[in-house]
Amino acid sequence: MNAIFFSLLGLLLASSTPIFIALAGAVMIVIWLDGMMPMAIVVERMFSGIDSFALMAIPFFILTGNLMGVGGLSRRIVGFADLLVGRLTGGLGITTVCSCMFFGAISGSSPATVVAVGNILYPALTDGGYKRRFSIGLIVASGSLGIIIPPSVVMIVYAAVTGVSVGALFMAGVGAGLVYALVFIAYAVFHARRHDIPRTPPPTWGQLWQGLKDASWGLGVPVVILGGIYGGIFTPTEAAAVSVVYAGFVSAVIYREKTPRELFAAVAGSAATTAQVMIILSAAGVLAWYLTSQGLAVAIANTILSFSDTPTELFLLINVAVLVAGMFLDAASIMVILGPLLYKVGLTVGIDPVHLGVVLTVNGAIGMFTPPFGLNLFVASSLGNVTYEQAVRGSLPFIGLALLALGVVTYVPEISMWLPRLLYAGL
């Protein structure tokens, strides 16, 4: 029966069946063929898969990012980043990476970051002398910072399925995100020097002050979120709700650039995105239950450990497996399907669960712009006159750079762990 299950699952995934149907459908068919359990258990397990307090933060963070995008906050953040670093060699490229870090610290979403930053900076990059291929590659790659820099929706999913502290994961994402971003920044500087791209004139103190004032409300979002969490004022889920109120107030009352209809459209879009995420999580919960109840999770874990029982070699196996999975699945689905399994394997050989979560998140970030099904590659088509093929060609050098950053984050754990250990005793 297990052979039938894996054959069905592989066939459904290979035939481009929607992932939630593939995951839950394969389990449902096997239960029906076996006849040993009522099929209603699939529905029960789907609801159990999303019955987690930590997951309540996801719709709030998605809505915050959308409100920032339509309310003018993201444009002001991009403008302020350009004032800070635009005059440097490769300034626009550095601005792109820094803007993705800023927006990632607000939305927690990679596709949302690509759209919000790309719509502003893609035309600016091409007009500033950067090649189209480099420009689109930089945007789809830097946009993946949205799931590494806290708050991260993907980290919340990992925390929900493993029980690891959300706050510790968020802090671990700071060091990993900085390394990931610095690799892209270095390449942007190299590209600008190689192609002799001119610098922009330095801003005056007055322009800097004006830019800071314009962006201050937007920059306040991560301060409210992270400051509230680590100041002990509220939990990550409560912080997500507060961020919605804050972003909505700034968009509707302070900047007032959009009509109530457009703000409502952002809410409706957030609801649709949340539904997509949640139905995948619920179906993945069914799969996780089936693997555990049939003893397959233990068998797979033992198979992985049979290859190696040292953290160094095991991390290599994990990275290869998750990178391949990232070519076909989104990061949240990978966390639900593989997170609990790899969590148990990691504990067996002494891998810190927080460090493992960060490594899996970086793998998932790379998958966001890795062909054939990297979501950022498809989202890039919304930037105007960008085809899927152009996005793929542009992303290739950045995949290599991201793998370099992954290696550093994987095998130098202190980069990720020093901040969580500073704030959380016992890690």
Side-chain angles (χ1 to χ4, degrees):
M1 194 60 67
N2 291 334
I4 295 175
F5 167 73
F6 283 113
S7 298
L8 277 172
L9 181 61
L11 179 63
L12 290 171
L13 291 173
S15 61
S16 299
T17 302
I19 187 169
F20 75 93
I21 296 178
L23 298 180
V27 175
M28 184 175 290
I29 292 172
V30 169
I31 290 177
W32 175 67
L33 291 174
D34 188 57
M36 297 299 292
M37 289 182 287
M39 293 180 64
I41 198 171
V42 174
V43 178
E44 177 188 334
R45 290 296 168 177
M46 288 185 75
F47 279 100
S48 297
I50 55 176
D51 184 17
S52 171
F53 182 75
L55 294 180
M56 290 178 62
I58 291 178
F60 292 121
F61 281 131
I62 292 173
L63 178 55
T64 298
N66 285 344
L67 289 174
M68 293 280 290
V70 303
L73 282 77
S74 57
R75 175 174 55 79
R76 288 171 169 84
I77 289 174
V78 170
F80 182 58
D82 186 50
L83 288 172
L84 289 178
V85 298
R87 64 182 181 276
L88 304 176
T89 300
L92 266 181
I94 300 173
T95 297
T96 302
V97 179
C98 291
S99 298
C100 288
M101 291 178 66
F102 282 138
F103 197 80
I106 296 166
S107 68
S109 167
S110 178
T113 302
V114 170
V115 173
V117 175
N119 280 328
I120 300 170
L121 280 174
Y122 178 64
L125 285 165
T126 54
D127 292 344
Y130 291 86
K131 303 292 185 181
R132 286 172 54 90
R133 180 173 174 178
F134 170 86
S135 301
I136 193 61
L138 181 65
I139 290 170
V140 298
S142 299
S144 64
L145 277 161
I147 67 172
I148 303 176
I149 296 293
S152 164
V153 170
V154 173
M155 287 182 178
I156 294 172
V157 173
Y158 176 79
V161 298
T162 62
V164 176
S165 166
V166 175
L169 286 167
F170 280 1
M171 286 296 94
V174 173
L178 288 174
V179 169
Y180 195 82
L182 285 173
V183 171
F184 293 156
I185 287 173
Y187 183 60
V189 174
F190 167 78
H191 179 88
R193 287 181 175 172
R194 182 180 180 184
H195 295 279
D196 197 25
I197 295 175
R199 302 183 187 184
T200 58
T204 64
W205 286 108
Q207 290 174 321
L208 281 172
W209 174 244
Q210 185 60 44
L212 177 60
K213 287 197 300 181
D214 288 343
S216 58
W217 286 100
L219 297 175
V221 176
V223 174
V224 169
I225 295 172
L226 300 180
I229 293 173
Y230 300 107
I233 301 174
F234 34 64
T235 67
T237 302
E238 292 167 344
V242 171
S243 71
V244 169
V245 176
Y246 181 93
F249 173 79
V250 173
S251 299
V253 178
I254 303 299
Y255 292 147
R256 293 181 293 181
E257 291 187 356
K258 300 297 180 181
T259 65
R261 182 186 296 273
E262 290 170 314
L263 292 175
F264 179 79
V267 175
S270 300
T273 303
T274 300
Q276 293 169 3
V277 173
M278 289 302 181
I279 197 168
I280 291 174
L281 292 178
S282 65
V286 175
L287 176 63
W289 163 78
Y290 181 80
L291 293 177
T292 302
S293 64
Q294 299 299 309
L296 294 174
V298 175
I300 294 171
N302 290 335
T303 301
I304 294 174
L305 290 171
S306 69
F307 290 100
S308 175
D309 58 358
T310 65
T312 301
E313 295 176 352
L314 187 60
F315 258 133
L316 179 61
L317 292 173
I318 289 173
N319 284 340
V320 171
V322 179
L323 285 169
V324 172
M327 297 169 65
F328 304 96
L329 301 173
D330 66 280
S333 299
I334 291 173
M335 284 298 188
V336 176
I337 297 170
L338 298 180
L341 176 65
L342 296 177
Y343 169 79
K344 296 176 182 177
V345 172
L347 287 180
T348 304
V349 299
I351 294 175
D352 189 288
V354 175
H355 182 216
L356 175 62
V358 171
V359 172
L360 293 179
T361 300
V362 174
N363 274 287
I366 297 172
M368 296 301 294
F369 62 99
T370 301
F373 297 120
L375 184 57
N376 287 4
L377 300 175
F378 295 99
V379 173
S381 62
S382 67
L383 302 182
N385 299 321
V386 176
T387 65
Y388 170 80
E389 291 77 13
Q390 290 172 330
V392 169
R393 288 197 298 269
S395 70
L396 294 179
F398 291 94
I399 293 174
L401 294 168
L403 292 175
L404 174 63
L406 173 63
V408 174
V409 171
T410 300
Y411 293 110
V412 189
E414 285 304 317
I415 290 175
S416 304
M417 296 303 299
W418 73 272
L419 195 52
R421 285 172 179 160
L422 183 67
L423 296 173
Y424 292 86
L427 281 180

